[in-house]
Amino acid sequence: MLDYLEPRCILKHILECYSEKSKQLTDSAESFVYAINEDKVCQHYAEELLRNAGKFNLEEFLAAWQQCVPEGMKTDPGQLKGIALIDRTSFPEVIYRYHVDDLPEDEKERFNELFKTKEKWTLEEIKPYIEGLSSVKVSIGALLQKNARASTGSNGVKLFNSKHSVKK
């Protein structure tokens, strides 16, 4: 239906990347329906904004990001997990690209890189960066127990820092 606008292979790629496919059964045939995945689209725009930006003022980024996405879509900081880090200790707060795909696949190297980037992490912050290392046999908790020390921050939030010396 849209192949008069773009080659079919391009349309197929876009649908595979940014939508969810489901079967639709009719009386005569089986067909597929695609629903755009809002989170994936918003993540794409966030990555594009952050790709060459370095550190970006968080408030300005959030406004620019919302303006970039297609009308009717809503951006949410939760969509940035595994894509970017927010430095809430700086003033003003900043955001920068920190993509899980850019981290080493080796467990020790990945944890070293994470703790080199940031000394202390909350579970919510570090989880997207270590989920890919977990399995049925090794949970995220087990990974953290092996590679990190837990402490409690002044606000009562559990923090994780390196159990081993961090190689610069």
Side-chain angles (χ1 to χ4, degrees):
M1 191 152 104
L2 295 173
D3 37 358
Y4 68 92
L5 294 173
E6 294 291 337
R8 185 174 285 274
C9 63
I10 301 290
L11 294 171
K12 183 178 178 190
H13 175 74
I14 291 169
L15 289 172
E16 287 172 355
C17 291
Y18 302 107
S19 69
E20 305 296 326
K21 181 179 176 180
S22 59
K23 283 184 184 179
Q24 186 175 28
L25 299 172
T26 61
D27 294 336
S28 59
E30 176 182 274
S31 62
F32 294 97
V33 175
Y34 292 88
I36 297 296
N37 182 312
E38 189 169 327
D39 287 343
K40 289 180 181 180
V41 173
C42 290
Q43 288 168 342
H44 168 76
Y45 281 96
E47 287 185 73
E48 288 302 311
L49 278 172
L50 294 169
R51 189 171 311 280
N52 297 313
K55 291 192 176 183
F56 203 132
N57 175 303
L58 179 61
E59 199 172 302
E60 291 173 6
F61 167 79
L62 292 172
W65 183 31
Q66 183 59 56
Q67 289 176 344
C68 286
V69 299
E71 191 175 331
M73 290 194 175
K74 192 89 172 120
T75 59
D76 180 85
Q79 297 163 332
L80 300 170
K81 292 177 181 176
I83 294 172
L85 286 179
I86 297 172
D87 183 353
R88 298 199 183 276
T89 62
S90 68
F91 185 80
E93 293 177 340
V94 295
I95 185 169
Y96 56 97
R97 184 181 187 282
Y98 196 73
H99 205 290
V100 65
D101 292 343
D102 297 334
L103 293 172
E105 289 184 27
D106 177 76
E107 178 183 322
K108 285 184 182 179
E109 289 177 23
R110 180 169 300 194
F111 273 94
N112 187 70
E113 190 64 35
L114 289 167
F115 291 120
K116 192 164 50 169
T117 301
K118 187 173 174 178
E119 186 180 347
K120 293 185 179 197
W121 297 74
T122 65
L123 179 59
E124 185 180 323
E125 291 170 332
I126 202 167
K127 189 177 178 182
Y129 296 100
I130 62 173
E131 282 177 318
L133 299 174
S134 66
S135 66
V136 174
K137 293 181 181 180
V138 182
S139 68
I140 289 173
L143 288 167
L144 287 168
Q145 190 172 23
K146 180 179 173 186
N147 295 284
R149 282 193 180 92
S151 60
T152 305
S154 58
N155 56 0
V157 174
K158 193 178 222 180
L159 298 171
F160 297 92
N161 64 307
S162 183
K163 194 180 249 187
H164 313 289
S165 60
V166 176
K167 297 174 186 157
K168 297 288 177 180

